[in-house]
Amino acid sequence: MIIYPTDQSVSLFVSGIAFLAGVVKDMAELSSKEQKRLHIIRTAMALFAQNGIHKTKVSEIAKMAGIGKGTVYEYFRSKDGIFWNAVSQWLHEFDRVITERMSGTDDPEEQLALLIRTVFDFYQSTFEGLNITLESWLEMARLHHQLKSGKGELPEGIPDLKCHFKEYRQRVKDLLTAGIEQGKFRPMNVELTAALIFAMFDGFELHYITQRSDFEDVTQVSTVFVQMILDGIRA
Amino acid sequence: MIIYPTDQSVSLFVSGIAFLAGVVKDMAELSSKEQKRLHIIRTAMALFAQNGIHKTKVSEIAKMAGIGKGTVYEYFRSKDGIFWNAVSQWLHEFDRVITERMSGTDDPEEQLALLIRTVFDFYQSTFEGLNITLESWLEMARLHHQLKSGKGELPEGIPDLKCHFKEYRQRVKDLLTAGIEQGKFRPMNVELTAALIFAMFDGFELHYITQRSDFEDVTQVSTVFVQMILDGIRA
Amino acid sequence: MIIYPTDQSVSLFVSGIAFLAGVVKDMAELSSKEQKRLHIIRTAMALFAQNGIHKTKVSEIAKMAGIGKGTVYEYFRSKDGIFWNAVSQWLHEFDRVITERMSGTDDPEEQLALLIRTVFDFYQSTFEGLNITLESWLEMARLHHQLKSGKGELPEGIPDLKCHFKEYRQRVKDLLTAGIEQGKFRPMNVELTAALIFAMFDGFELHYITQRSDFEDVTQVSTVFVQMILDGIRA
Amino acid sequence: MIIYPTDQSVSLFVSGIAFLAGVVKDMAELSSKEQKRLHIIRTAMALFAQNGIHKTKVSEIAKMAGIGKGTVYEYFRSKDGIFWNAVSQWLHEFDRVITERMSGTDDPEEQLALLIRTVFDFYQSTFEGLNITLESWLEMARLHHQLKSGKGELPEGIPDLKCHFKEYRQRVKDLLTAGIEQGKFRPMNVELTAALIFAMFDGFELHYITQRSDFEDVTQVSTVFVQMILDGIRA
DNA sequence: AATGAATGAGGCTTCATTCAT
DNA sequence: GATGAATGAAGCCTCATTCAT
C-alpha cells in the first residue's frame, strides 16, 4: 500500500513548521518579546545552516535580523545559547508535526507511511534545518564526550536529544507491535527494526544535504522508501 | 540469506583501515617525509574527531604529535589542508577495503550482504572517523553552497565526495541489476533503491555516533539490516 | 591625656553620617526629587564600595535602588557623575561631623584627641565609605595627571580634594599653634607636623581596609594613637 | 637621634629598585624571555599607574612596549595577571631594599630611622608604584570580600599582602622590643605601636600621591617624621 | 516623570600563520 | 628541515547611554 501525498497532508505539514518560514498566522498572539526571539532564531538558523555555528558571527545575525549586536544578547545568553534554542525549537516543532499527522489514522501501515512521508516532507521543506540538526548531533556527541572526561559543563538550554530519539523509536515500535498483533506485519525484532527504520530517515537526510541533486523528486523517493520498508516487514 | 562475520572478513577489514590505528606494516616503505605526514594526519584526526575542526588548535596537533608548531606547516598548507587530506585519506582507505571485500564473490546477494557488513565493521572500528566524516559532509555542503553564491574558492585537496558517493551507488546499482537479471531480485527502480540502501548505511552511522549505547551488538544489527533489505528486494 | 569615647560623642557622630545609614530623620524636609537623589547615591556607594566604580554597573545600581535604569539618568548625567557626587556628599558630611565635634572644647589637647577619635569613629562606622574615598583619591590623582597632559576635562561635580585636605591641615595647624602658644606643645614645624598627623589618619584607614582583623578594637587603637601623638608633641 | 640621608643609603636604594627604572646592571644575566617579561611589566606599571588597571588597555601596553598585542599573552595569562605580577614584583623589590638597608646597623633607633627613611625614599623614587600599590590594596580588599561571599576564586599570582604586611609589622615589633629591652624605648604596647607606625608610612604615601606639591622636600619630611616617632617612644 | 528595550563602541582574548634562527 | 616566538586580524560579549513610550 502506497500513500500519495495529499493536499491535506501538505497543509497540515505546512502549518506545523511554518514558524521556520516565518508564516505563523497567529503570531500576533505571541508577545512582542517572544516574536523578536523567534525572529532572531529564524535569522540565526538561516545563517547557521549556511555557514555553520563556528563561522556564523553574532554581528551577522544581528545585521541580517535588522537589529543591533547588543540586542541579540537581550534575548540570548550567548551564541551557543542561540544555537541550542534553535535546535530545541526545531525538535519541538518536529514533534508537533509528527503527532498531528499520525493522529489521522489507526492503521499501522498507514501510520508508518504517514510517518515516513511527514519526515520526508519536513526535511525537504526545511532544508536549512537539516544542516543545523546534523551539526547539533555532532556538537552534542562532543559535549557528551567532554562531559565524560570531566571537562566542562553542559551549556544551558541543550535539548535532550537521546530522549527525543527514544520517543521516536518508541513511536515506531508501538506501530510495529500493533501491526504484528493485527497480523499485518510479520514477527520481527521490533526494537532493532524500529532503530533501523529511524536510521534510514536520517541517512536520507544526510544524503539529501550533500547530494540534493540526486533526489529532486522527494515525493517519488518517499514512495519507494515506504514501499521498500513495508515490503520488508509485511506479513 | 544471512552472512555471518568471518575471521577472514575481519582481518581484511583490519588491514584496510589499519592506517588509522597506526599499524600499517609496510610503513617502512614510506619515505620519512611521507611517514611524518601520515603521523600528523593520524594525530589530527584523533583531535578533529574529538573536538571538531573548529575547536582543534594547530598547536594541539603539533603538541600531541610531538613536533613543533611550525613543522606542521612544512607538511600542510593550512589547518583546513590537514582536515581535507585526512578526509581524503579516510575515503581512500574506505574504497580499498570495500573493493577488497566484495571481490570475494559474484553472487549479488552475498555481495550486498558483504557490503553491508563491511560498512558496519568499518564504522564500528573507526568510531573516531565517523565524526570527521560527518563534519566533512557538513563542511563540504557549505563549501558547495558558497561556491554557487560565487563566494570563495574550493580549498585545495578537497576530495570529490559527490563522485565518491556516485561510485558507491553505482556499485550497488550494478549489484542490484545483476540480481534482477539473475532473477534473484524483483524488478525495481534500481537508481532509487541503491540511493536508499546507501542512505541507510549512513543513517546508521549517525545514530551510532549519537546513541551508541543502543547499538552495542553491531553484528546483530547488521544481520537484521541485511535481512530487512534482502527481504525487501528479493524476488 | 586620653579621651574616652562618650555617649555624647557617639550620638553626635551618628547624626553626622547617618545619611549613609539611611536614617536621616528630617528626610521628610527634603524634596521628593532630592530624596530620590540621595537614595540613589546611597545605593551606589554601597556598590561602589563593594566592587569599585569600574565593576559597578548602572543597571545594578538601578536594580538595587528599585528603580528603572533610565531613571538614574534623570538624576545624574553619568556614572562618573554619581561617583563624584557620592564622594562630595561624603566629604561634606565628614566636614560637618568634625566641626560639630571639635566645637565642644577650646583646649588644644582635647581638640586634637577629639579630632583623632572622631576620624577613627567615622572610619569605623562607615567602612564602606573608605573604599570609595580611597578610590576617589586614585581617580582624582589620575584626573589631575591627565589634566596636566592636556588630555580631557575635569568632569562636573568633582570635589576639590586638595582644598578639602588643606582645610583639615589648617585645622590641625591652628590647633597646634594654639597649643604652642599656650605652652602646652613644644615648638615644632607646625606645617609638617600637621601634615604628618593627618597622614597617619589615612594610613590607618588604609590598613583598616586591608587588614581589618588586626584592628578589632578601634577604641583601643585610637587611645594609643592619641597618646603617641600627644607624647610626641607635648611640651 | 636623627639619621640624615647619606650617599651610601641612596645608592643602596637605587640599586634596589632600579629594576623599575630599567637600569638593572646585570640584566644581561636574565634570560631573554625573562627580560621581555620584565620589559612588559615595566611598561604596564607605567600605564597602570597613570590610568589605573581598568582604563589601561592591553593594546596600549603592547604598543608602548613595542610588541604585538598577542605577544603580551605569551608572557601573561591575562591583564589581571600582568597587574598582580607587577604588584608582586614591586613587593619583592621592596622587601629586598628594606632588608639590605636595615642590615647595616643593630641599634634599634638607627634601624627605625633607617626603615623610615628607606620607605620614604622608596616611595619618592618610584612614584608610579604608589598608585599601583594603592590600587592593588583596593582590588585585593574587594577580592577578599568576594571570596567570603563565595563569589569567584582568587586569580593566580596574587601576592599575599596580609602576609607581607605582617612581616613588616614583625620587623618593627622586633625593633621596638629590642629598644625596650635595651632601655632605649619606654615600655609600650608593641603590637599596636608597630601597627600605627606602619600605618603612618602608608598614610604619607597616600598624601604624597594626592598632594605631592605639599611634600616637595621629602628628606625634611622624613626627618620630622623620624623625630616625632622617636620622641614619642623614647624612654 | 519613569521606564527598559535597543544600541554599538570598545576591550579582552584566541589562534592560524609567518619567519628568523 | 625544524622550531616556536611573534603577530594581528577577528570575534564574542559588556555595558553606559539614549529615547520612544
Side-chain angles (χ1 to χ4, degrees), chain A residues 22-176:
Chain A
V23 209
V24 172
K25 289 168 199 165
D26 48 3
M27 187 96 136
E29 292 176 15
L30 296 174
S31 73
S32 162
K33 188 108 184 169
E34 201 52 37
Q35 265 185 52
K36 205 158 203 168
R37 232 185 99 91
L38 265 179
H39 176 55
I40 295 174
I41 284 189
R42 269 178 220 140
T43 311
M45 283 189 77
L47 287 167
F48 285 151
Q50 212 166 80
N51 307 317
I53 180 174
H54 297 290
K55 287 189 183 163
T56 298
K57 295 169 243 171
V58 174
S59 59
E60 273 179 353
I61 298 175
K63 197 174 185 180
M64 177 167 285
I67 60 177
K69 205 186 349 171
T71 309
V72 173
Y73 288 88
E74 293 284 324
Y75 295 86
F76 300 93
R77 198 183 296 275
S78 67
K79 194 169 79 162
D80 278 7
I82 308 174
F83 182 74
W84 292 118
N85 271 285
V87 174
S88 292
Q89 185 73 261
W90 161 276
L91 290 177
H92 181 255
E93 290 295 328
F94 192 78
D95 276 358
R96 208 160 66 78
V97 173
I98 296 287
T99 305
E100 232 174 70
R101 286 289 293 274
M102 290 181 61
S103 65
T105 173
D106 283 332
D107 178 59
E109 272 198 29
E110 268 185 69
Q111 277 197 326
L112 185 55
L114 264 172
L115 177 65
I116 293 169
R117 169 158 311 289
T118 306
V119 172
F120 273 55
D121 280 355
F122 197 77
Y123 283 171
Q124 179 169 42
S125 62
T126 62
F127 170 62
E128 290 187 347
L130 296 189
N131 273 333
I132 296 181
T133 308
L134 208 48
E135 193 162 27
S136 76
W137 287 348
L138 262 175
E139 290 293 325
M140 200 157 309
R142 281 162 190 158
L143 281 177
H144 282 297
H145 189 273
Q146 284 162 20
L147 213 62
K148 276 186 194 165
S149 318
K151 304 172 196 168
E153 297 289 316
L154 273 190
E156 283 177 292
I158 289 202
D160 189 345
L161 267 190
K162 273 208 172 176
C163 167
H164 173 80
F165 282 134
K166 194 164 278 178
E167 278 177 24
Y168 274 99
R169 261 202 310 280
Q170 190 57 50
R171 226 185 261 268
V172 179
K173 270 160 63 184
D174 291 346
L175 193 153
L176 293 176

Side-chain angles (χ1 to χ4, degrees), chain C residues 33 36 68-71 75:
Chain C
K33 184 107 184 174
K36 208 159 199 170
K69 206 183 343 172
T71 310
Y75 294 86

Side-chain angles (χ1 to χ4, degrees), chain B residues 154-168:
Chain B
L154 271 191
E156 284 176 292
I158 288 202
D160 189 346
L161 266 191
K162 273 208 172 176
C163 166
H164 172 81
F165 281 134
K166 195 163 277 178
E167 279 177 22
Y168 274 99

